[in-house]
Amino acid sequence: MPGQCVIGLQWGDEAKGKLVDLLTEGKDLVVRYQGGANAGHTVVIGDDVYKLHHIPSGIINEGVLNLISPGVVINPPTILKEIEMLAERGIDVAARMKISQRAHVVMPWHVLEDKMWNELVSGQDNIGTTLRGIGPCYADKIGRSFAVRMGDLIQPDFAERVARIVAVKTKILSAASGSAPELDADAIVEEFSAYAKKLAPMITDTNQIVLDAVDADKNILFEGAQGSLLDIDHGTFPFVTSSNSSGLGISTGSGVPGNWLSKIIGVTKSYATRVGGGPFPTEQDNDTGQHIRDLGNEYGTTTGRPRRCGWWDAVAARYTARLGGVTSIALTMLDVLSELEEIQVCVAYELNGERITHFPGQVNDLRNVKPIYETIPGWQTDVTGARSLDDLPTKSLQFARKIETLIGRPIEFISVGPDRAQTIHIPENESLENYLKAKSV
Ligand code: IMP
């Protein structure tokens, strides 16, 4: 079964884009299945840096068809900008990408609603969204009556649909804010019809493409956006995104049968980060956190916001690896910890005086847990030049081994920098455990 997937095991920004780009070789299809322009995926190839929000990270590789499938929400001006950026760099996106007619469109009222709902909720209840209209767009998808899908943009009743929705949204937004929003149905129809004209050659039924690829035993790579802890059903609700960003969203978002997936790679940083509001048990709001932020360049690709930084959390990562059916791990950003004398790893939580190793489902419990740490000695050696396990200091390998033991899944990739080349692959017939045993450590 040749279906593979890359998912994030934390709160997003785990460096999944780099891995997807690496794994794209030999694939027939690369499929994005959830999220929207809230995502930020960076692919670095030598001196070339590609920052992508919408377009699958497989786009840089020739000969691969990239799909944006039904579970994604699309912001047409953002995707068009990305298409232009890639065209300037010699990549003909139209020849390499298809967009599902079923994918929902982020409309101007969604962005207004996102801003307004954020302003209306303050303090510790504020989600701190990316303000890209993601939540309101998914809300309308579930509500159905006021939704717009990519296929609708090129239907004869598009203008009628927009006029009907704008009338209702104007009432809702006026009531919430006390003043009428700037929503001009005719102008929106004109603007979005122009986008649709440009995107029309790419809009199709991607379900057919996926199902035909399954029948033909083709190699498909699924690219997760955000991280599993931001999953709408299984994450740290309400401080989550509005899609199924754990491994459970692959089938619903893309239309691939669940039993087609043979390999799910869970990506985790060597520490933890989160953007926006919500509990973060291992957060280091101190010099250590700032050190990690500076060395890891932990600022949002989409919003530029400084990311909250903290220690690696086994309780969270083990939960999301189990939830997503993860078969192997990619450990990223190992280089960021290189200067530290000691590294903390959270192995359990204390909740109401009790030691727990399960991830709490209630946000207030998660707010109240105290992390229980184990201290690991740092390696204090630059690892950015490492290209094989032999090049890595033993202490960094012992740290990696600790992580795979705590998650209960083998590490397959170790990333020591943003470039494609800065990746160490441990093939299936080898393992970190055996490597360390052979070295007698
Ligand atoms: P939304 O997806 O814009 O609604 O934001 C909801 C929450 O998910 C906020 O805390 C965001 O910061 C977070 N979030 C959304 N997309 C990403 C991402 O790609 N990386 C990290 N956090 C994200």
Side-chain angles (χ1 to χ4, degrees), residues 39-84:
H41 293 168
T42 308
V43 179
V44 181
I45 303 164
D47 291 335
D48 290 331
V49 180
Y50 298 87
K51 286 191 190 264
L52 305 169
H53 297 286
H54 251 322
I55 295 182
S57 305
I59 200 75
I60 324 292
N61 296 55
E62 241 179 309
V64 178
L65 183 63
N66 291 266
L67 300 184
I68 299 187
S69 60
V72 177
V73 291
I74 296 179
N75 183 310
T78 306
I79 203 168
L80 281 165
K81 254 190 228 143
E82 247 167 72
I83 292 171
E84 257 171 52

Side-chain angles (χ1 to χ4, degrees), residues 225-240:
Q226 288 87 43
S228 303
L229 295 172
L230 291 172
D231 187 288
I232 182 76
D233 291 305
H234 309 282
T236 52
F237 190 89
F239 303 97
V240 291

Side-chain angles (χ1 to χ4, degrees), residues 48-376:
D48 290 331
V49 180
Y50 298 87
K51 286 191 190 264
L52 305 169
H53 297 286
H54 251 322
I55 295 182
S57 305
I59 200 75
I60 324 292
N61 296 55
E62 241 179 309
V64 178
L65 183 63
N66 291 266
L67 300 184
I68 299 187
S69 60
V72 177
V73 291
I74 296 179
N75 183 310
T78 306
I79 203 168
L80 281 165
K81 254 190 228 143
E82 247 167 72
I83 292 171
E84 257 171 52
M85 177 273 287
L86 288 164
E88 279 165 18
R89 299 168 78 168
I91 296 172
D92 178 8
V93 174
R96 297 187 190 178
M97 187 177 82
K98 296 286 176 208
I99 301 170
S100 173
Q101 59 194 183
R102 294 180 169 89
H104 283 246
V105 186
V106 176
M107 298 298 290
W109 49 83
H110 294 137
V111 180
L112 293 179
E113 286 173 329
D114 204 0
K115 284 195 181 118
M116 190 159 299
W117 306 157
N118 257 279
E119 280 163 15
L120 292 173
V121 183
S122 58
Q124 71 163 11
D125 292 332
N126 185 280
I127 298 170
T129 75
T130 59
L131 302 178
R132 297 294 187 271
I134 304 296
C137 181
Y138 277 115
D140 277 338
K141 167 177 168 169
I142 302 301
R144 295 150 296 163
S145 305
F146 305 119
V148 178
R149 306 207 295 180
M150 287 304 285
D152 297 332
L153 297 179
I154 42 181
Q155 294 300 312
D157 65 349
F158 178 55
E160 220 173 278
R161 178 185 292 266
V162 170
R164 174 168 63 74
I165 300 172
V166 163
V168 175
K169 294 286 179 184
T170 301
K171 277 189 202 157
I172 296 171
L173 285 162
S174 304
S177 73
S179 59
E182 277 178 36
L183 286 175
D184 176 339
D186 292 340
I188 292 171
V189 169
E190 197 181 320
E191 184 186 342
F192 278 71
S193 298
Y195 298 145
K197 208 167 166 193
K198 289 187 187 161
L199 294 169
M202 283 172 262
I203 300 174
T204 187
D205 181 355
T206 60
N207 285 34
Q208 265 189 46
I209 299 176
V210 167
L211 295 175
D212 287 349
V214 166
D215 284 350
D217 221 20
K218 294 211 166 154
N219 289 307
I220 314 177
L221 180 66
F222 297 89
E223 176 179 21
Q226 288 87 43
S228 303
L229 295 172
L230 291 172
D231 187 288
I232 182 76
D233 291 305
H234 309 282
T236 52
F237 190 89
F239 303 97
V240 291
T241 191
S242 299
S243 61
N244 285 116
S245 53
S246 70
L248 298 170
I250 307 167
S251 278
T252 49
S254 69
V256 79
N259 65 357
W260 182 250
L261 299 164
S262 59
K263 179 167 178 161
I264 301 184
I265 302 169
V267 188
T268 174
K269 288 185 198 189
S270 305
Y271 47 92
T273 63
R274 131 159 254 181
V275 201
F280 179 3
T282 61
E283 181 168 18
Q284 297 299 301
D285 191 9
N286 52 27
D287 287 350
T288 304
Q290 188 58 44
H291 176 86
I292 292 174
R293 187 174 304 116
D294 289 342
L295 266 76
N297 191 25
E298 293 295 355
Y299 295 88
T301 319
T302 301
T303 58
R305 289 182 289 179
R307 296 181 185 138
R308 300 159 64 191
C309 296
W311 296 120
W312 190 78
D313 183 342
V315 183
R318 187 172 48 239
Y319 165 61
T320 51
R322 292 166 68 207
L323 184 73
V326 160
T327 50
S328 64
I329 302 289
L331 181 66
T332 62
M333 317 288 269
L334 188 71
D335 52 303
V336 174
L337 302 184
S338 287
E339 287 179 15
L340 297 171
E341 225 170 282
E342 286 183 338
I343 296 161
Q344 308 288 323
V345 167
C346 168
V347 295
Y349 296 151
E350 189 190 305
L351 179 64
N352 304 325
E354 241 181 80
R355 181 188 168 104
I356 59 165
T357 51
H358 69 268
F359 193 72
Q362 189 63 38
V363 79
N364 279 340
D365 285 342
L366 202 57
R367 280 193 176 119
N368 290 330
V369 299
K370 285 196 199 90
I372 299 172
Y373 290 112
E374 259 183 40
T375 304
I376 313 268

